[in-house]
Amino acid sequence: MLRIYQNTYRRTARKAVVYSTKVVCCNHSTLCNITMQPRRKGAGGQWEQHHSRNHEHYLLAGNQARGWTIPPHSRGYGMFVVRILKGALKLRYLVLGGAIGGGVSLSKKYEDWKEGLPDMKWLEDALPQSERWSQFSRNLIEVGSVVKNAIDIDPRLKQLGEDKLSEWRSWFDNRLDDALEAADYQGNQIVETKEDIKSKATVAALGIPVDESRKKYEKLQSQVETLQTEIMNVQIKYQKELEKMEKENRELRQQYLILKTNKKTTAKRIKKSLIDMYSEVLDELSGYDTGYTMADHLPRVVVVGDQSSGKTSVLESIAKARIFPRGSGEMMTRAPVKVTLAEGPYHVAQFRDTDREYDLTKESDLADLRREVEFRMRASVRGGKTVSNEVIAMTVKGPGLQRMVLVDLPGIISTMTVDMASDTKDSIHQMTKHYMSNPNAIILCIQDGSVDAERSNVTDLVMQCDPLGRRTIFVLTKVDLAEELADPERIRKILSGKLFPMKALGYYAVVTGRGRKDDSIEAIRQYEEDFFKNSKLFHRRGVIMPHQVTSRNLSLAVSDRFWKMVRETIEQQADAFKATRFNLETEWKNNFPRLRESGRDELFDKAKGEILDEVVTLSQISAKKWDDALTTKLWEKLSNYVFENIYLPAAQSGSQNSFNTMVDIKLRQWAEQALPAKSVEAGWEALQQEFISLMERAKKAHDHDDVFDQLKAAVVDEAIRRHSWEDKAIDMLRVIQLNTLEDRFVHDKTEWDQAVKFLENSVNAKLAQTEETLAQMFGPGPWTRFAQWKSLTPDQQKRRSVKGELDKILKNDSKHLPSLSYDELTTVRKNLQRDNVEVDTDYIRQTWFPVYRKHFLQQALQRAKDCRKAYYLYTQQGSECEVSCSDVVLFWRIQQVIKVTGNALRQQVINREARRLDKEIKAVLDEFSEDEERKAQLLTGKRVQLAEELIKVRQIQEKLEEFINSLNQEK
């Protein structure tokens, strides 16, 4: 059975019509080409056939050929069928034309997308030239051919690939045949609909059963519908891919433009964005006046709300990152957090005072950021307080962020817990009012939609600060919970501003989470969008407008209002600072006409240089000066021990041999134990004294600036307190001192004379101290009493009576021992009793001690005078010399120890300790330079304060002018 598939006809050169008909052979299920042309004239309308294949098909007019016939009027009907099939076959061209048009459209989309890509011409300078690429390509082809020849492919794999290719080709051909058949029958059906009677006649004439053809038609129609569905799905898929590629292209182009803008630098600094410049102005103002008396006139978005109302979550949704720590019911926001939102190619966060950037796309960086925020909040709370006024400043940048400055404040509480400070509630109220009282601040009032409106505390505060609602934006949070609990009419009143007495510029409803702590911002935003799409409450007409929902619309509205407020007020602030600057400059010229405005940092650097210069001068002190200073300080440290523990006990022993023995023992014990440590202490004090003396001399210079004095003194004191002498110096000194004390023989007359002089000076100094003690004990003499109208106290009179009796004992025995015997004490007391003076034995001993000390020192001084000329006698007779000069030898040994110790300490100071002190001073200066509070305490005065204020106002004005210029350029 055959059915006509396609008819074409043409005229030959002899003007004969030649019909070419495609038929479907039902026996072979293949397409066959049949060409029919008229035979010789008078053949009775018979046609000869030329079949493209060797099948025997006969198309004879009026005769039956293999089960199908053409009626006698076949020529007329044939031409009619040809015309019908010709119209039906136009569908194929429509499909092909649609495919070609789609291809052209896709090509145009591709060209537009290609033109939208960033200009990559700069890669031409970085990449090799085309000739080198061509050579490289030829080399790769040669390598590929070599590898192809070298590698023997498995025949089984090769056969498998050819089989797979044949299978795919056969499948494609079958699908093409089915599509053509379906198109043909669809065209026939259309023709049948238009020409129902003629088509049915044609089908009947062809001998095709109606039921069978209908079944096949329905089958093919279902296949066509399936194919159409597949085509539509593919088109939708490709359309989505195109939209995705276009979106990615826009984002890439946006990031490229941002990066390109950021890379454009001026000669000395990088161009900053408007929001960064504005944030710097606010930072400068906060440092200029901690009370924000000047900064209150600049706009910022103040986020206020009751505790746990979702205000921090709203801020996070606007910033597109969960940057704040979270707690279960406890207060987490303990200090104001200033967040500057800016657009950038990467989603990062950074604190104002650090260089670290936190990648907000990484959970590890987000966790670190939240911990740092919590640490800074707790560190800002001091003195038992719960909240702090210290501002934590940070910047968040990312693609698509709206540019603005927000300040997140602690939530308002109605009840305090036992772990809070007593003033926590009032402190939060005052802080909130303080920020909202700024006439240019935008108040973002956050209200929890899941609780009763009557429990709100924040609405009353907002109404007090902005009664007309000209700068307030109301935000209803947790509306997903409100949908389950609240009355729709009540929510409508809230969002239309008819429930609360406060007024606002706009009312918004947002969803800030599902109550899950670990949800990401993307998940929360998707949940918010799904909620507002599917919520019955918000789909009812009149409840809420579409632009009043989602955090995205809220962010756009807040940013738009923020920049509108900035443009309206920034010029006024710049003018105010110009006037302030003029007043300060006039005051400076009147008070300090010949001085430059130097702030604390500049003054500190200058003082630092002067201090370090003095340390350098310390190393330039002469060796002789160091020796004199160290010798004086050593004897000052050691003299009391030498007299009280060595010289006096040995000299009062009674014999010269016992004196020398006791001296040797005590000197060795002293050198092994206390002497090295005391020497190091003396050396350190000498170093400190010389350094302080240099600083004092610097004060007397004609160019000295007394503003540095307090700072210099604090730095020197702190460095000296930290500095300690090297431990190994003690061991070194111990060896040197023991070796020196072993020498008991004076080598020459010069050293002998120096020892005698040293002894005399030391004894005279000790004698002067003793006489001062006696003067305090016995009172002034007769002439002083007469000249100064002074009198003796009863105790002084009693002491004088005791001294008279003691002088008698010493007069009778000039070599008396240091202590009084019992009989002598009894005699003195009885003699005083006769004079009506009652004293006890302790009182007599207290008086005896200085009296005997004076007597002994006078004798020692006389012996020293006798030993001046006894050197040669000493060298000849040694210890058996008639003149006792053992005390001279003792002081010579002490003097030698002091000399070698001073020399060792001087070398230690010059070579080691001065450099170590320099390091300590630099460390102290570095610490002080980072401590602004300490610098403010040490650098004070009207001059410093006025210069600081003038410099700060000048910086703020310059930043404001720079910001205004950039703002005008953006317009």
Side-chain angles (χ1 to χ4, degrees):
M1 181 177 180
L2 300 176
R3 53 187 171 88
I4 299 174
Y5 177 71
Q6 183 178 353
N7 295 301
T8 60
Y9 61 92
R10 57 185 173 84
R11 292 185 178 273
T12 62
R14 298 179 181 180
K15 298 182 180 181
V17 178
V18 178
Y19 293 93
S20 177
T21 304
K22 286 186 179 180
V23 298
V24 179
C25 181
C26 299
N27 297 329
H28 301 88
S29 297
T30 58
L31 291 175
C32 302
N33 291 327
I34 300 176
T35 302
M36 294 176 290
Q37 62 184 8
R39 289 184 178 179
R40 62 185 180 275
K41 194 172 183 179
Q46 295 181 344
W47 297 79
E48 67 176 356
Q49 85 174 5
H50 300 276
H51 201 287
S52 61
R53 301 184 182 182
N54 295 324
H55 304 304
E56 294 180 355
H57 301 299
Y58 298 93
L59 299 175
L60 299 176
N63 296 315
Q64 185 176 1
R66 293 189 180 271
W68 64 281
T69 60
I70 298 178
H73 52 279
S74 59
R75 181 166 183 170
Y77 282 113
M79 295 301 295
F80 177 72
V81 172
V82 167
R83 285 195 297 271
I84 292 175
L85 295 178
K86 176 183 176 182
L89 291 175
K90 289 183 180 179
L91 179 62
R92 178 177 63 180
Y93 299 103
L94 293 176
V95 174
L96 293 176
I100 294 173
V104 173
S105 176
L106 182 62
S107 176
K108 185 176 180 181
K109 286 284 186 179
Y110 171 74
E111 292 296 333
D112 294 339
W113 172 78
K114 184 178 179 182
E115 291 177 359
L117 289 175
D119 187 9
M120 306 300 286
K121 291 184 178 179
W122 58 273
L123 288 175
E124 295 178 359
D125 299 332
L127 295 177
Q129 299 179 356
S130 58
E131 296 180 359
R132 299 182 61 185
W133 277 113
S134 301
Q135 182 64 30
F136 180 69
S137 301
R138 288 194 295 270
N139 294 338
L140 285 180
I141 293 172
E142 293 177 0
V143 172
S145 61
V146 172
V147 173
K148 182 177 180 181
N149 296 330
I151 300 175
D152 187 11
I153 301 177
D154 191 346
R156 292 175 295 178
L157 296 177
K158 186 175 181 181
Q159 182 64 32
L160 180 61
E162 293 178 354
D163 295 342
K164 206 68 176 177
L165 181 60
S166 301
E167 181 181 350
W168 289 342
R169 184 177 297 168
S170 174
W171 175 85
F172 181 76
D173 292 338
N174 293 333
R175 300 290 287 179
L176 178 61
D177 293 341
D178 293 341
L180 292 174
E181 293 176 5
D184 174 60
Y185 269 88
Q186 186 179 14
N188 291 338
Q189 179 64 23
I190 294 172
V191 174
E192 182 179 359
T193 303
K194 292 181 178 180
E195 303 289 343
D196 187 47
I197 299 175
K198 293 182 180 181
S199 177
K200 289 182 179 179
T202 303
V203 172
L206 295 174
I208 304 175
V210 177
D211 294 339
E212 185 178 354
S213 62
R214 185 177 297 277
K215 290 181 181 179
K216 290 187 177 182
Y217 164 73
E218 291 176 354
K219 181 180 179 181
L220 292 174
Q221 187 178 20
S222 64
Q223 292 178 356
V224 170
E225 292 176 356
T226 303
L227 289 174
Q228 289 178 344
T229 303
E230 291 180 0
I231 292 172
M232 290 295 295
N233 292 334
V234 171
Q235 288 180 348
I236 293 172
K237 179 180 178 181
Y238 283 133
Q239 185 66 27
K240 288 183 178 179
E241 290 294 330
L242 282 174
E243 292 176 356
K244 182 178 179 182
M245 292 176 67
E246 290 177 355
K247 183 179 179 181
E248 291 177 353
N249 178 33
R250 287 194 299 269
E251 293 179 355
L252 288 173
R253 183 172 180 82
Q254 187 178 17
Q255 293 184 11
Y256 168 75
L257 292 176
I258 294 174
L259 288 173
K260 186 177 180 181
T261 303
N262 292 336
K263 288 181 180 179
K264 290 182 179 179
T265 57
T266 59
K268 293 184 178 179
R269 59 183 177 179
I270 300 175
K271 184 178 179 181
K272 298 177 181 177
S273 63
L274 275 176
I275 192 63
D276 290 335
M277 295 167 63
Y278 185 77
S279 180
E280 288 183 359
V281 172
L282 292 180
D283 292 338
E284 292 288 343
L285 283 169
S286 65
Y288 168 68
D289 189 350
T290 55
Y292 278 89
T293 55
M294 297 299 294
D296 272 345
H297 298 287
L298 287 178
R300 66 179 57 78
V301 181
V302 180
V303 186
V304 297
D306 297 337
Q307 185 177 351
S308 301
S309 62
K311 57 183 183 54
T312 301
S313 299
V314 170
L315 198 154
E316 288 181 335
S317 182
I318 295 175
K320 298 182 180 180
R322 308 201 76 168
I323 57 179
F324 292 106
R326 327 203 75 76
S328 55
E330 63 174 323
M331 178 185 293
M332 297 305 298
T333 305
R334 298 175 178 269
V337 182
K338 182 175 76 70
V339 182
T340 302
L341 299 181
E343 192 173 16
Y346 309 110
H347 204 186
V348 295
Q350 182 180 7
F351 290 100
R352 183 184 66 180
D353 54 353
T354 60
D355 295 330
R356 178 183 177 183
E357 283 190 346
Y358 297 86
D359 189 350
L360 301 183
T361 60
K362 297 180 180 179
E363 284 299 328
S364 59
D365 280 22
L366 276 171
D368 293 342
L369 177 62
R370 289 192 288 266
R371 282 194 294 269
E372 181 66 20
V373 172
E374 184 176 4
F375 172 77
R376 287 173 179 255
M377 284 185 180
R378 296 188 181 276
S380 65
V381 179
R382 304 182 185 91
K385 300 291 184 179
T386 306
V387 295
S388 170
N389 290 322
E390 184 175 341
V391 180
I392 300 173
M394 64 187 303
T395 301
V396 177
K397 296 182 179 181
L401 290 183
Q402 300 300 319
R403 302 175 300 169
M404 67 184 91
V405 177
L406 303 101
V407 180
D408 185 23
L409 299 177
I412 298 173
I413 60 174
S414 57
T415 305
M416 294 187 299
T417 58
V418 294
D419 58 343
M420 293 182 179
S422 58
D423 62 342
T424 301
K425 181 178 178 181
D426 295 335
S427 298
I428 295 176
H429 276 249
Q430 293 175 3
M431 185 190 306
T432 305
K433 285 184 177 180
H434 182 72
Y435 276 88
M436 289 193 302
S437 61
N438 175 3
N440 296 323
I442 300 170
I443 303 172
L444 199 61
C445 179
I446 309 300
Q447 172 64 34
D448 189 350
S450 64
V451 300
D452 296 335
E454 292 77 9
R455 295 169 56 185
S456 175
N457 297 313
V458 68
T459 53
D460 294 336
L461 288 176
V462 173
M463 186 174 62
Q464 295 175 10
C465 297
D466 186 25
L468 300 179
R470 294 178 178 176
R471 51 190 180 88
T472 301
I473 296 177
F474 183 86
V475 182
L476 185 66
T477 62
K478 305 179 183 180
V479 291
D480 52 337
L481 301 177
E483 183 184 29
E484 302 175 359
L485 304 175
D487 180 17
E489 181 64 21
R490 189 176 180 84
I491 294 179
R492 187 189 66 80
K493 288 183 178 180
I494 293 175
L495 296 177
S496 60
K498 296 180 180 179
L499 183 64
F500 292 107
M502 61 167 286
K503 298 180 180 179
L505 290 170
Y507 297 85
Y508 291 85
V510 297
V511 176
T512 56
R514 294 176 288 182
R516 299 177 184 177
K517 186 177 180 181
D518 299 330
D519 277 354
S520 63
I521 289 295
E522 291 76 11
I524 294 174
R525 285 206 161 196
Q526 186 63 42
Y527 173 72
E528 182 184 43
E529 292 180 2
D530 294 341
F531 170 77
F532 285 118
K533 286 180 181 178
N534 303 322
S535 173
K536 298 179 180 179
L537 175 65
F538 289 93
H539 277 188
R540 291 181 59 187
R541 179 174 297 179
V543 175
I544 193 171
M545 299 296 291
H547 68 274
Q548 291 182 270
V549 298
T550 73
S551 302
R552 182 179 180 274
N553 290 334
L554 172 64
S555 177
L556 292 172
V558 174
S559 177
D560 181 68
R561 186 60 189 171
F562 170 77
W563 284 106
K564 183 178 180 181
M565 188 77 76
V566 168
R567 291 185 175 93
E568 291 175 353
T569 60
I570 195 68
E571 295 283 353
Q572 300 174 359
Q573 288 303 295
D575 295 339
F577 272 97
K578 285 181 182 178
T580 304
R581 175 179 176 178
F582 176 78
N583 295 334
L584 292 175
E585 288 177 345
T586 303
E587 183 179 359
W588 179 269
K589 291 178 181 178
N590 293 333
N591 291 277
F592 311 100
R594 298 184 179 181
L595 294 176
R596 189 168 57 86
E597 308 96 340
S598 300
R600 284 195 177 92
D601 293 335
E602 185 177 352
L603 292 174
F604 184 86
D605 292 338
K606 187 176 179 181
K608 179 179 180 180
E610 292 184 2
I611 294 173
L612 295 178
D613 290 342
E614 297 299 334
V615 176
V616 175
T617 306
L618 188 66
S619 62
Q620 298 176 355
I621 297 177
S622 62
K624 185 178 182 304
K625 189 173 183 180
W626 272 121
D627 288 338
D628 295 341
L630 290 169
T631 300
T632 303
K633 183 58 67 174
L634 279 169
W635 180 241
E636 181 184 332
K637 281 285 185 181
L638 305 177
S639 60
N640 188 61
Y641 186 88
V642 170
F643 269 95
E644 301 297 336
N645 296 85
I646 299 176
Y647 177 53
L648 291 179
Q652 296 169 4
S653 61
S655 65
Q656 189 171 355
N657 292 331
S658 60
F659 176 86
N660 294 331
T661 303
M662 187 175 293
V663 164
D664 290 341
I665 294 173
K666 289 185 174 293
L667 285 178
R668 185 169 187 84
Q669 291 176 350
W670 184 43
E672 290 178 349
Q673 298 176 2
L675 180 58
K678 281 290 182 181
S679 301
V680 168
E681 184 179 346
W684 173 226
E685 291 183 2
L687 175 62
Q688 175 184 352
Q689 183 177 349
E690 286 299 319
F691 186 62
I692 293 175
S693 65
L694 288 175
M695 302 293 292
E696 293 294 331
R697 284 197 295 272
K699 292 181 181 180
K700 299 177 181 179
H702 67 281
D703 57 347
H704 172 68
D705 194 345
D706 57 358
V707 75
F708 303 135
D709 292 345
Q710 191 174 356
L711 174 62
K712 290 181 178 180
V715 171
V716 172
D717 292 342
E718 181 66 19
I720 290 174
R721 185 185 65 81
R722 295 183 183 183
H723 182 70
S724 60
W725 209 277
E726 286 186 330
D727 295 336
K728 63 181 180 179
I730 295 178
D731 298 332
M732 179 187 67
L733 287 176
R734 182 180 291 111
V735 175
I736 295 174
Q737 290 166 349
L738 284 172
N739 292 335
T740 304
L741 290 174
E742 290 296 328
D743 191 0
R744 301 177 181 86
F745 187 77
V746 183
H747 301 287
D748 54 31
K749 182 67 166 60
T750 304
E751 292 183 357
W752 180 269
D753 293 339
Q754 292 176 355
V756 171
K757 185 178 180 180
F758 178 52
L759 173 61
E760 289 177 349
N761 293 337
S762 302
V763 172
N764 284 325
K766 187 64 69 174
L767 183 60
Q769 295 178 3
T770 303
E771 288 178 348
E772 290 179 2
T773 303
L774 291 173
Q776 295 176 1
M777 185 178 290
F778 301 127
W783 174 252
T784 304
R785 292 199 301 272
F786 175 76
Q788 299 180 5
W789 291 83
K790 291 183 178 181
S791 60
L792 299 175
T793 63
D795 183 72
Q796 291 175 346
Q797 293 177 356
K798 189 183 294 185
R799 295 282 184 185
R800 282 179 173 270
S801 299
V802 176
K803 180 179 179 297
E805 295 296 327
L806 296 176
D807 287 340
K808 294 177 183 179
I809 296 175
L810 292 175
K811 186 176 181 181
N812 294 330
D813 185 6
S814 61
K815 296 183 179 181
H816 196 282
L817 295 175
S819 60
L820 293 173
S821 63
Y822 178 76
D823 293 338
E824 290 173 335
L825 289 172
T826 302
T827 301
V828 170
R829 189 175 58 180
K830 287 182 178 180
N831 291 337
L832 293 173
Q833 287 176 355
R834 285 198 298 268
D835 297 334
N836 296 324
V837 177
E838 290 292 339
V839 294
D840 55 12
T841 55
D842 292 335
Y843 193 86
I844 297 172
R845 288 192 182 97
Q846 291 176 1
T847 309
W848 165 258
F849 179 77
V851 171
Y852 178 79
R853 173 69 60 86
K854 179 180 179 181
H855 173 72
F856 174 80
L857 292 176
Q858 289 175 346
Q859 287 183 338
L861 190 60
Q862 185 61 43
R863 288 195 300 271
K865 292 179 180 179
D866 295 339
C867 292
R868 286 180 183 176
K869 301 178 181 180
Y871 172 70
Y872 296 105
L873 185 62
Y874 163 75
T875 56
Q876 294 176 3
Q877 298 180 2
S879 60
E880 297 178 358
C881 180
E882 296 178 357
V883 180
S884 178
C885 296
S886 298
D887 44 2
V888 175
V889 176
L890 169 62
F891 275 82
W892 175 80
R893 295 170 71 181
I894 299 295
Q895 191 179 36
Q896 296 304 309
V897 168
I898 291 176
K899 286 182 179 180
V900 298
T901 302
N903 186 38
L905 292 175
R906 174 177 56 81
Q907 294 178 5
Q908 182 75 10
V909 166
I910 296 175
N911 298 330
R912 297 285 299 171
E913 299 304 325
R915 289 199 296 267
R916 295 180 67 238
L917 179 62
D918 183 34
K919 291 181 180 180
E920 292 290 348
I921 290 176
K922 288 180 179 179
V924 173
L925 287 171
D926 291 340
E927 290 183 9
F928 282 16
S929 65
E930 298 176 358
D931 192 343
E932 297 297 332
E933 294 182 0
R934 182 167 291 184
K935 284 196 292 186
Q937 294 174 357
L938 299 176
L939 293 172
T940 58
K942 181 179 179 180
R943 169 187 161 192
V944 179
Q945 293 177 356
L946 185 59
E948 275 290 309
E949 191 172 5
L950 179 56
I951 292 172
K952 189 64 86 173
V953 169
R954 188 177 294 153
Q955 291 176 351
I956 294 172
Q957 186 203 353
E958 291 174 354
K959 288 184 179 295
L960 278 173
E961 291 178 351
E962 182 183 5
F963 173 73
I964 291 172
N965 292 334
S966 300
L967 187 64
N968 293 333
Q969 291 177 4
E970 188 180 75
K971 289 180 183 179

